[in-house]
Amino acid sequence: MAISHPLPSPRALMPWALALLATAAFAQPPVDAEASKTVPPTQLQYSSAIGGYQAYTDQPVQSWQQANDKVGRIGGWRAYAKEIKTGVPASAQDAAPANDPHTGHHGGGKP
């Protein structure tokens, strides 16, 4: 059994629509002139993510003997591992042998 209900006319809905709009207008907070003139608390700054990018440059070619001698003066692969761990570049000043008790292990150092 279907019961049909006729839709109300637009004239009958007009007072309800006006009442709804009026309550929405009263629900808005009052406009404060001083609050609208305040300065934002922070200034926006932009810094590019690739601003410090340095393009690849060719390194001067040197003989393999000079390269091997330089690595030997620096301290070999251990100096490069230390450079990665500490972030301090390996240099010839680090070539002084340290008192490392593990130097002679696994055939990695001279006795």
Side-chain angles (χ1 to χ4, degrees), residues 62-77:
Q62 59 184 349
S63 73
W64 64 269
Q65 287 178 336
Q66 289 174 344
N68 284 346
D69 291 343
K70 181 179 179 181
V71 170
R73 283 192 311 272
I74 290 174
W77 67 267

Side-chain angles (χ1 to χ4, degrees), residues 11-96:
R11 285 187 144 191
L13 295 177
M14 186 66 68
W16 293 105
L18 291 175
L20 179 66
L21 290 175
T23 57
F26 285 120
Q28 298 296 322
V31 177
D32 187 12
E34 292 179 21
S36 63
K37 294 180 183 178
T38 59
V39 178
T42 59
Q43 295 292 331
L44 299 178
Q45 295 181 353
Y46 172 76
S47 61
S48 174
I50 58 172
Y53 174 74
Q54 295 179 355
Y56 175 78
T57 56
D58 287 330
Q59 296 179 356
V61 178
Q62 59 184 349
S63 73
W64 64 269
Q65 287 178 336
Q66 289 174 344
N68 284 346
D69 291 343
K70 181 179 179 181
V71 170
R73 283 192 311 272
I74 290 174
W77 67 267
R78 287 183 181 90
Y80 292 116
K82 181 180 177 184
E83 177 180 337
I84 296 296
K85 185 177 180 181
T86 62
V88 178
S91 64
Q93 288 84 17
D94 295 336

